[in-house]
Amino acid sequence: MQKLIINGGTRLEGKIQINGSKNAVLPIAVAAAILGDSVSVLHNVPNLTDVKTLSAVLEGLGASITRKNGSLYIEPINRMEYEAPYDLVRQMRASIYVLGPLVAKLGRAKVSFPGGCAIGPRPVDLHIKGLEHLGAEVEVKKGYIYAQAERLVGAEMDLLGQHGPSVGATANVMMAATLAEETTVIRGAACEPHISDLARFLNAMGADIEGIGTSTLTIHGVKQLHGTEHTVISDDIEAGTFMVASAVTNGDVYVEGVTAEQIHAVSEKLTEAGVQLDWDDTGVRVTTPGQLKPIDVTTAPFPGFPTDMQAQIMGLLTLASGTSTITENVHTDRFIHAAELNRMGADIRLEGRKAIINGVSFLSGAPVMASDLRAGAVLVVAGMAAAGETTVSRIYHIDRGYEAIEKKLNSIGADIRRVNDGE
Ligand code: EPZ
C-alpha cells in the first residue's frame, strides 16, 4: 500500500486542469459497453482506479475496452454473459449500473448485491423498484440480485427516495428504459450534471430522452442503440476540491475546465466564506483576500451543495474565524474525516447528521488515514495548509477518484511525495 507525505505550509500558485468526471464516465461506459451495438469512443476519461475496476467488470461481461491518450474505445459485449461477480462489485458500488442495461439487452442479469461502505448504508431499493416498474422480476438471494424480463415495457414511476432523488437509480432505470417498449416517465429523477451527460450520451447513441436536466425524464423506447463518440464533462468535484485547496493555502490558482453553472452551490458557499472567485470562459481564478469566514452548509441533491464536497468544505471551515455548521442530508454517516481533521488540531464536534466546526488559527501535520475518497481528499488539502508533515495512509481511496493528485498539486507549488508503506 502507498501513502502520501505532505510537507505543509506551501502556497499554491498557478494553473490546474480539471479532468473528466468520474461519476459521468462510469455509467456512460456501461451504456456504451452493454446497450450499444457498435464501438463507442469516450474522450476526456480520467485515469482512475474506478474506471479500471469498471472496465474489468465490463470486460468480464464480454466487452473489449482499450485506453489510448485519455480516450476509451469500447467495443460492446458480444456474448450472453450476464453476471457481475462479488469480487468485482465489492470493489466498487457503481458496478450496480450494469443491472438495468443487462436486463434491457439480454433479458436477465445477476449482479452481486453491493454492500455498505464508509459513508454509511447504501441501499439499492430504488434501482429495484424502477426496474420492477418496467416489468422486470427482481429477486435478491444469497448476496446476488437476479433480474429478468422477456421484454421491458415503459411505465410511469416516482423514484424519489427518503433522502431525495438517487443518482444511481435514475441512471440505471433511464438506461434500461431506452430499450424498453413504449414510453417511460421517471419523476423524482436526479438532475446532477453527470446524469445529464449520460442522457446526452444515450441520445447520441439513438435514444429518445426528453427533460434532460430536470426532475422528470421522459424516455421513448427505441429498438437499438449504436456506438457514438462523446467528450465526458469535466469533474465538478475535482474542481471544487482544488478551489478549496487554493483557498486554504492562501493561494492564487486558476482552475481550468469547469463552468460556473456546474459548481454553482459550491461557488456560492466559498464566496460567502470570503473566497474570491473570478470566472471567465474557461475556468475560475481562486484567491482569498482576507480571513476565512464561518458559514452554514447543508448538503442536498443538485442543485444543492453536493455531499461529495462536504468533507473538503469542512477542511476549509476548520480555519475560519468562528463557528460553522455542516448538515449532511444525503449520506447521513459521512463524517469519519472529522475525527482525522481533529487529529490535525481542528475543533469539530458531531451531533447526529450535523457537524459543528469551531475555527482554529492553524492546523498541525499529523499521521492520518483516508476512510473514503472525499475524506482522503480533505486530508490532502488540510495537510497542505498545516504546519509540518502530514502522512495520509490508505490513499487507494483517493486514487479511485483523483488522477495523480500529488503530481497535479506539486505542479502548482505543493510538496507531496508518494511512498510505499514502510518507506
Ligand atoms: C452517487 O452515488 C455518486 N457515485 C456518489 O459519489 C454521490 O455521493 C451520490 O451519488 C450522491 O450525489 C457515483 O456517481 C458513482 P444516490 P449513488 O443513489 O448513486 C439513498 C463520490 O465521492 N438511496 O444518489 O450511490 C442513498 O442511501 C461518490 O464520488 C436509497 O435510499 O448515490 C442516499 O442517501 C460517493 N435507495 C441517497 O439516496 C436507493 O436505492 C442518494 O444516493 C439508492 C439510494
Side-chain angles (χ1 to χ4, degrees):
M1 282 210 282
Q2 297 185 311
K3 56 193 177 188
L4 294 177
I5 300 179
I6 304 161
N7 217 337
T10 56
R11 178 168 189 260
L12 298 185
E13 201 170 354
K15 187 159 85 175
I16 201 158
Q17 176 69 40
I18 297 309
N19 286 0
S21 160
K22 165 182 85 82
N23 289 344
V25 79
L26 297 177
I28 288 175
V30 169
I34 301 179
L35 297 174
D37 62 4
S38 51
V39 175
S40 285
V41 185
L42 308 181
H43 303 296
N44 201 26
V45 176
N47 195 8
L48 304 170
T49 332
D50 268 9
V51 174
K52 290 178 196 152
T53 308
L54 183 76
S55 298
V57 171
L58 296 173
E59 283 172 340
L61 293 169
S64 165
I65 303 182
T66 327
R67 184 183 179 91
K68 208 165 138 193
N69 300 330
S71 299
L72 280 194
Y73 295 76
I74 303 182
E75 221 173 286
I77 53 173
N78 57 6
R79 53 190 157 99
M80 294 296 277
E81 197 61 59
Y82 60 92
E83 176 175 344
Y86 173 70
D87 261 1
L88 289 170
V89 176
R90 76 183 165 84
Q91 291 175 39
M92 192 184 61
R93 288 182 48 85
S95 313
I96 185 78
Y97 280 146
V98 303
L99 184 67
L102 281 178
V103 187
K105 185 79 175 204
L106 304 180
R108 60 178 170 167
K110 177 183 173 190
V111 179
S112 175
F113 196 95
C117 63
I119 64 178
R122 297 180 69 186
V124 290
D125 55 307
L126 298 170
H127 299 241
I128 294 175
K129 172 180 165 187
L131 294 175
E132 283 177 339
H133 270 293
L134 296 180
E137 274 173 36
V138 187
E139 204 184 349
V140 180
K141 56 180 183 199
K142 295 189 179 160
Y144 276 83
I145 306 171
Y146 292 80
Q148 62 174 23
E150 239 164 66
R151 58 194 183 107
L152 295 177
V153 182
E156 291 212 13
M157 64 186 85
D158 191 333
L159 285 187
L160 202 63
Q162 196 192 342
H163 299 293
S166 160
V167 168
T170 303
N172 222 334
V173 178
M174 173 168 67
M175 286 190 278
T178 57
L179 290 180
E181 288 175 10
E182 301 173 24
T183 295
T184 299
V185 179
I186 305 176
R187 300 188 204 287
C191 322
E192 268 68 6
H194 34 283
I195 289 291
S196 302
D197 204 34
L198 169 65
R200 283 190 297 268
F201 175 73
L202 289 165
N203 276 353
M205 293 179 87
D208 184 356
I209 303 172
E210 294 167 18
I212 297 177
T214 73
S215 58
T216 303
L217 293 169
T218 303
I219 304 137
H220 305 287
V222 296
K223 290 215 157 14
Q224 214 175 352
L225 295 176
H226 52 78
T228 188
E229 198 165 339
H230 181 78
T231 300
V232 176
I233 50 160
S234 59
D235 196 317
D236 50 337
I237 305 300
E238 189 196 27
T241 305
F242 292 148
M243 287 162 79
V244 168
S246 179
V248 295
T249 60
N250 195 24
D252 183 350
V253 176
Y254 184 78
V255 180
E256 189 171 35
V258 63
T259 64
E261 297 76 55
Q262 261 181 302
I263 199 162
H264 181 70
V266 171
S267 301
E268 233 177 36
K269 284 296 167 186
L270 287 177
T271 307
E272 200 184 319
V275 181
Q276 186 166 327
L277 302 179
D278 297 303
W279 287 93
D280 62 24
D281 289 349
T282 54
V284 59
R285 180 180 172 202
V286 186
T287 51
T288 312
Q291 170 69 38
L292 289 166
K293 294 180 237 166
I295 54 170
D296 299 313
V297 176
T298 300
T299 66
F302 190 82
F305 190 94
T307 173
D308 293 346
M309 277 298 298
Q310 179 257 105
Q312 301 89 314
I313 197 96
M314 184 183 285
L316 177 124
L317 296 176
T318 63
L319 292 168
S321 61
T323 301
S324 303
T325 64
I326 297 181
T327 307
E328 174 56 74
N329 278 337
V330 180
H331 298 301
T332 45
D333 287 344
R334 196 179 203 176
F335 276 140
I336 298 182
H337 44 277
E340 297 300 291
L341 289 169
N342 282 348
R343 303 191 70 242
M344 300 178 71
D347 177 359
I348 306 165
R349 201 175 77 243
L350 299 180
E351 282 177 10
R353 61 171 69 176
K354 192 171 181 176
I356 296 127
I357 304 131
N358 294 313
V360 294
S361 50
F362 65 94
L363 296 174
S364 311
V368 285
M369 203 190 289
S371 54
D372 74 81
L373 169 55
R374 311 302 171 188
V378 69
L379 297 177
V380 174
V381 167
M384 290 187 293
E389 189 176 280
T390 295
T391 307
V392 185
S393 54
R394 302 212 174 158
I395 58 168
Y396 56 86
H397 286 297
I398 301 175
D399 293 333
R400 293 183 57 176
Y402 293 88
E403 180 179 326
I405 193 168
E406 77 281 13
K407 285 194 187 133
K408 277 190 151 179
L409 290 168
N410 285 347
S411 76
I412 53 168
D415 179 355
I416 308 177
R417 275 180 304 131
R418 180 183 288 257
V419 298
N420 291 318
D421 268 349
E423 275 180 45

